[in-house]
Amino acid sequence: MSALSTAFVRLHARLAPVAFVPEVRLHQADEPIGLWELTEGEFRSDRPPPFWAFAWAGGQALARYVTDHPQLLAGRRVLDLASGSGLVAIAAARAGAAVVRAVEVDELAVAAVALNAEANGVRVDAELGDLLDGDAGDAEVVLAGDVFYSAAMANRMLRFLLRAARSGAQVLVGDPGRAFLPRDRFDELAAYDVPVSEALESVRVKRTTVWQLRAERPRPSG
């Protein structure tokens, strides 16, 4: 990560506990609009919006589930996709995962993941890159929080996650009812009422589900 990206994260976000997972502290922005404009926003350039600066509902739910069920990850190799702030990756490391790899397409997010992991006293390997046309490597568990927010992202993500599941990885997803989640592919593990930023979600609480992906195709109805 570059010194400039690290300095930007420190300047525009403050370290604070996560609302639904207070065991974890993250560098979080107080409000989204100004920061979005500073990072140029999704409508003004190719740069990703600042997903890293907020604890999104899907990530909070998944991090809560991982924290409450550490036996799922203890001693296992974990991949956290579209890691954002690194919340889920940090929760996995705290749960005793042997190796945690957090992958992001945004250099600022990679800097945020590294800073947040350090602040929580855990090791997370933060990596810049797009894995979705490839595979999950040697990961035994693949985690993805709030990744089904657009049709294009959902299609690529589902294909990647299915490849991981069919290779033997356990795939867990946190989702707050986004329109593009293919629910017929998943089994529900838990559901929570997660506090969120009203400026981002237009509500203060979102019902959010943790799902496990099934490797096989859904059976036709009827």
Side-chain angles (χ1 to χ4, degrees), residues 15-93:
L15 195 62
V18 175
F20 199 58
V21 196
E23 300 94 329
V24 175
R25 297 188 303 156
L26 299 177
H27 288 83
Q28 301 172 70
D30 291 324
E31 58 86 23
I33 304 304
L35 182 59
W36 198 296
E37 291 174 347
L38 278 172
T39 57
E40 296 186 296
E42 64 177 346
F43 300 112
R44 299 170 68 186
S45 79
D46 292 332
R47 191 174 188 83
F51 293 126
W52 57 268
F54 308 98
W56 297 83
Q60 288 196 69
L62 192 51
R64 181 75 268 157
Y65 188 81
V66 163
T67 298
D68 293 343
H69 300 85
Q71 70 279 6
L72 296 175
L73 302 186
R76 304 180 79 187
R77 297 183 299 274
V78 174
L79 170 64
D80 179 29
L81 278 174
S83 189
S85 64
L87 169 58
V88 176
I90 290 165

Side-chain angles (χ1 to χ4, degrees), residues 41-210:
E42 64 177 346
F43 300 112
R44 299 170 68 186
S45 79
D46 292 332
R47 191 174 188 83
F51 293 126
W52 57 268
F54 308 98
W56 297 83
Q60 288 196 69
L62 192 51
R64 181 75 268 157
Y65 188 81
V66 163
T67 298
D68 293 343
H69 300 85
Q71 70 279 6
L72 296 175
L73 302 186
R76 304 180 79 187
R77 297 183 299 274
V78 174
L79 170 64
D80 179 29
L81 278 174
S83 189
S85 64
L87 169 58
V88 176
I90 290 165
R94 293 185 73 257
V99 176
V100 182
R101 182 183 177 202
V103 180
E104 255 291 347
V105 297
D106 181 6
E107 184 177 340
L108 288 173
V110 174
V113 171
L115 282 173
N116 290 332
E118 181 181 12
N120 287 276
V122 296
R123 176 172 178 175
V124 172
D125 297 326
E127 177 182 326
L128 182 68
D130 183 342
L131 299 183
L132 295 187
D133 293 328
D135 59 47
D138 64 354
E140 297 170 282
V141 181
V142 177
L143 305 173
D146 225 331
V147 294
F148 290 94
Y149 52 81
S150 72
M153 179 67 165
N155 289 336
R156 294 188 70 212
M157 183 62 68
L158 180 61
R159 289 195 295 268
F160 178 92
L161 295 178
L162 283 170
R163 287 195 296 274
R166 289 166 182 166
S167 296
Q170 183 178 16
V171 177
L172 304 182
V173 168
D175 186 86
R178 303 297 186 204
F180 300 100
L181 176 75
R183 289 167 182 78
D184 61 341
R185 294 278 194 172
F186 291 87
D187 295 317
E188 180 177 330
L189 298 180
Y192 308 100
D193 291 322
V194 178
V196 293
S197 166
E198 191 171 7
L200 292 171
E201 300 282 11
S202 302
V203 295
R204 294 181 182 274
V205 175
K206 292 213 76 159
R207 187 69 173 173
T208 305
T209 304
V210 175

